[in-house]
């Protein structure tokens, strides 16, 4: 990137680098493995034969809490019949239809695959055993347009081990920061093509990295489902947060459309030489076609 900036410095105004899309994963580590789940059940005196009833009760608490919170927020609750629905597109459409420019947008729920604990019989030992295995359960999505962080969502697994996934976007966040600072800009999708004060924008991006992530993410999770702090009482294990997927991006701002258009064919040619078709299709958000050129 530095070489590109140096090579075309006479046509470039400047650039910013920082967080783009980020997906955080919240894990109750005590419940995330067979051993941990078994230890917790022993501590809570829950028998294997009672596992299904116990977890179903917790699932009901989680879903009821999410829907009750949505009612308090006055947002639409919708169950989706297929996991193939583009949930972000749907949430943005709901926001546009209802003219929601800030705050909570909607609560969506849908059945999706997961890895979760289950109890089954062992033919060899003729005993019940606890195993982690692929299955399906209802996931709850809370979409919002936060006044600080911008557009994002909280995704909650309603069946044990109750994993949480929170998606934010550093570029949406920066947009809010620029608005607050009164710095003019032009944003095309997820990319800034012009910023009045590029140096100030870069400082704001660096400020994002100083965030108390655990405090922020716990707040977003409990704001979507207050019951998450109570389902394992009397024990109160905390969620362990990790950056499940992250993107770091650089936006290069050219002096004019003409300056970029002159160079664009060479950029495309370079991309075709160094990227395979699968990577391009993935970047464009599309499935790779069978038999596509490597």
């Amino acid at each position: 990137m530095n070489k590109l900036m140096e090579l075309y410095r006479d046509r470039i105004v400047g650039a910013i680098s920082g967080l783009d899309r980020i997906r955080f994963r919240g894990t109750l580590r005590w419940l995330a493995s067979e051993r941990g789940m078994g230890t917790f059940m022993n501590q809570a005196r829950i028998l294997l034969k009672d596992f299904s009833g116990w977890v179903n009760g917790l699932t009901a608490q989680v879903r009821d809490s999410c829907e009750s919170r949505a009612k308090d927020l006055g947002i639409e609750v919708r169950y989706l019949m297929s996991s193939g629905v583009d949930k972000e597109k749907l949430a943005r459409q709901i926001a546009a239809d209802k003219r929601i420019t800030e705050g909570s947008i909607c609560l969506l729920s849908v059945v999706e695959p997961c890895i979760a604990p289950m109890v089954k019989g062992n033919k060899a030992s003729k005993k019940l055993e606890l195993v982690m295995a692929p299955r399906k359960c209802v996931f709850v999505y809370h979409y919002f347009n936060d006044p600080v962080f911008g557009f994002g969502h909280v995704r909650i697994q309603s069946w044990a081990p109750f994993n949480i996934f929170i998606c934010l976007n550093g570029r949406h966040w920066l947009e809010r920061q620029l608005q607050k600072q009164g710095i003019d800009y032009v944003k095309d999708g997820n990319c800034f093509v012009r910023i009045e004060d590029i140096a100030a924008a870069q400082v704001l991006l660096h400020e994002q990295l100083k965030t108390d992530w655990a405090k922020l993410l716990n707040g977003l999770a409990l704001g979507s489902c207050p019951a998450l702090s109570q389902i394992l009482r009397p024990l109160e294990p905390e969620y362990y947060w990790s950056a499940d997927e992250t993107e770091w991006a650089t936006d290069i701002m050219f002096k004019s459309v003409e300056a970029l258009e002159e160079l664009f064919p060479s950029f495309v040619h370079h991309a075709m030489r160094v990227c395979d078709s699968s990577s391009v299709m993935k970047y464009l958000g599309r499935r790779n076609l069978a038999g596509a050129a490597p």
Side-chain angles (χ1 to χ4, degrees), residues 4-22:
L4 180 67
M5 296 282 292
E6 177 63 24
L7 183 61
Y8 301 114
R9 62 182 182 277
D10 59 325
R11 309 182 194 190
I12 293 174
V13 177
I16 56 171
S17 294
L19 293 172
D20 195 350
R21 297 176 179 86
I22 328 161

Side-chain angles (χ1 to χ4, degrees), residues 145-164:
N145 197 353
D146 190 88
V148 176
F149 315 111
F151 189 86
H153 73 265
V154 176
R155 175 178 181 251
I156 300 172
Q157 182 174 328
S158 69
W159 182 270
F162 307 108
N163 293 326
I164 305 172

Side-chain angles (χ1 to χ4, degrees), residues 147-203:
V148 176
F149 315 111
F151 189 86
H153 73 265
V154 176
R155 175 178 181 251
I156 300 172
Q157 182 174 328
S158 69
W159 182 270
F162 307 108
N163 293 326
I164 305 172
F165 303 89
I166 297 181
C167 291
L168 300 175
N169 188 304
R171 291 310 197 259
H172 298 335
W173 190 349
L174 176 60
E175 184 174 19
R176 294 294 194 186
Q177 292 173 300
L178 294 175
Q179 291 171 352
K180 185 176 180 180
Q181 295 290 328
I183 299 174
D184 193 28
Y185 66 90
V186 176
K187 185 167 176 271
D188 185 5
N190 203 42
C191 176
F192 287 91
V193 296
R194 188 183 72 80
I195 298 178
E196 181 182 21
D197 190 335
I198 296 175
Q202 187 60 64
V203 170

